[in-house]
């Protein structure tokens, strides 16, 4: 069947922006997970797409329930997007179980684009989001497929048994994560006292990113947001250190603008640059 001609005077179709696929769980409260990822991608000028791995009942007080999707549903979503639309970067978040971790690791290893792996283990409130039986799969299958792994200090301890108590320990943590095979490790030191300092390294070069610690408790979604911002930068063609630098700047602004929502910990503000005087 012939397609109808476009109306006379219609503007030509705009070229699509870079595309980023997030493979993660849903946060019904909208502060983290798939929702945070897609907001971040929109704010940073890329087209966000999603593969849902789990559904959570979640609000500012914590996670009240979580239900993972079948592996075949995750695989079908991924192939549907990648085979037709294509991607320039992939970001992973909550994967819940060993079968899901292994399936997603296989998928991203075969896609041939940068992959940012946020090895989500627990929620902001301490609720478990990854089965203990999946840790070996994260170490042996998922991390080797990562361009950048972005664990926080609790996730470093969960995966490597390295406990970070001071800034000097970040190098040891990075070495332990790199031993599992990602090209770069971004160790997030936000749980340390003092400045919010992160270390990015590939085992040869080091990049330190510092920001003042902000007096704002509304930080739900920071990890998801940072990883998605890194993926957005990589999709736009930035080198890893530059993508991380831009992501750190974006997240710092989002934390500063975080707002109260519900009775607990509110989210960061993903649209802070748009709402700032003069726009982004």
């Amino acid at each position: 069947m012939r397609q109808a001609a476009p109306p006379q005077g219609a503007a030509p179709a705009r070229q699509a922006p870079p595309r980023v696929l997030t493979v993660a769980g849903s946060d019904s409260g909208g502060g983290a997970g798939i929702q945070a990822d897609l907001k971040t991608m929109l704010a940073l000028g890329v087209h966000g797409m999603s593969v849902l791995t789990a559904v959570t009942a979640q609000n500012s007080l914590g996670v009240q329930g979580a239900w993972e999707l079948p592996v075949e549903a995750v695989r079908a979503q991924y192939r549907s997007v990648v085979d037709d639309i294509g991607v320039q970067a992939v970001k992973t978040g909550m994967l819940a179980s060993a079968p899901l971790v292994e399936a997603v690791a296989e998928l991203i290893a075969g896609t041939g684009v940068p992959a940012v792996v946020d090895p989500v283990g627990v929620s902001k409130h301490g609720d478990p989001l990854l089965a203990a039986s999946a840790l070996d799969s994260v170490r042996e299958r998922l991390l080797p497929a990562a361009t950048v792994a972005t664990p926080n200090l609790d996730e470093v301890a969960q995966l490597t048994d390295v406990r970070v108590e001071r800034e000097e320990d970040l190098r040891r943590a990075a070495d332990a994560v790199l031993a599992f095979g990602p090209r770069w490790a971004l160790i997030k030191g936000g749980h340390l006292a003092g400045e919010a300092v992160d270390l990015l390294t590939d085992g040869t070069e080091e990049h330190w990113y510092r920001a003042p610690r902000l007096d704002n408790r509304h930080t739900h979604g920071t990890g998801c947001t940072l990883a998605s911002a890194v993926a957005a930068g990589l999709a736009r063609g930035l080198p890893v250190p530059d993508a991380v630098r831009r992501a750190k700047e974006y997240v710092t602004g989002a934390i500063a603008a975080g707002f109260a929502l519900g009775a607990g910990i509110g989210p960061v503000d993903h649209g802070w640059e748009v709402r700032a005087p003069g726009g982004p």
Side-chain angles (χ1 to χ4, degrees):
M1 180 182 296
R2 293 178 58 189
Q3 293 183 334
Q8 286 189 343
R14 176 172 170 256
Q15 184 176 1
R19 288 143 285 164
V20 181
L21 178 62
T22 170
V23 184
S26 168
D27 171 6
S28 55
I34 288 278
Q35 288 81 355
D37 297 342
L38 294 177
K39 292 173 187 178
T40 299
M41 292 169 191
L42 178 63
L44 295 180
V46 300
H47 176 66
M49 305 170 291
S50 61
V51 170
L52 197 63
T53 61
V55 175
T56 69
Q58 188 172 168
N59 55 27
S60 70
L61 298 173
V63 178
Q64 291 78 46
W67 300 267
E68 66 184 79
L69 269 67
V71 168
E72 56 267 30
V74 170
R75 191 182 299 275
Q77 291 175 81
Y78 192 100
R79 290 264 60 95
S80 178
V81 171
V82 172
D83 293 349
D84 172 48
I85 300 172
V87 295
Q88 277 74 55
V90 177
K91 176 261 177 185
T92 72
M94 176 186 177
L95 299 182
S97 68
L100 284 177
V101 169
E102 291 169 10
V104 171
E106 178 185 353
L107 288 165
I108 64 176
T111 303
V113 299
V116 180
V117 169
D118 186 16
V120 175
V122 296
S123 75
K124 176 69 70 178
H125 302 85
D127 304 291
L129 299 176
L130 179 71
S133 58
L135 288 174
D136 281 344
S137 297
V138 172
R139 297 180 188 108
E140 298 168 8
R141 301 288 298 278
L142 188 60
L143 289 177
T147 306
V148 187
T150 65
N152 62 31
L153 300 187
D154 290 336
E155 291 155 356
V156 167
Q158 187 180 41
L159 291 166
T160 71
D161 291 329
V162 172
R163 306 283 172 177
V164 176
E165 298 179 352
R166 58 188 64 85
E167 184 176 312
E168 294 75 18
D169 296 332
L170 292 174
R171 285 192 179 96
R172 188 161 53 92
D175 288 343
V177 172
L178 288 172
F180 293 117
R183 286 179 50 199
W184 293 83
L186 175 62
I187 309 300
K188 300 177 294 189
H191 294 170
L192 294 174
E195 283 185 308
V197 56
D198 305 328
L199 170 61
L200 172 72
T201 179
D202 63 354
T204 301
E205 56 183 275
E206 288 184 354
H207 302 267
W208 294 83
Y209 305 90
R210 300 178 183 276
R213 184 166 300 280
L214 302 171
D215 185 18
N216 187 352
R217 67 188 292 261
H218 301 300
T219 57
H220 185 50
T222 49
C224 304
T225 299
L226 181 66
S228 294
V230 174
L234 296 179
R236 296 176 70 92
L238 293 179
V240 171
D242 292 342
V244 173
R245 181 175 298 105
R246 174 68 183 100
K248 176 79 169 180
E249 293 168 353
Y250 171 72
V251 170
T252 300
I255 292 171
F259 50 88
L261 202 67
I265 300 173
V268 302
D269 184 357
H270 297 94
W272 71 272
E273 289 184 312
V274 176
R275 284 186 268 277

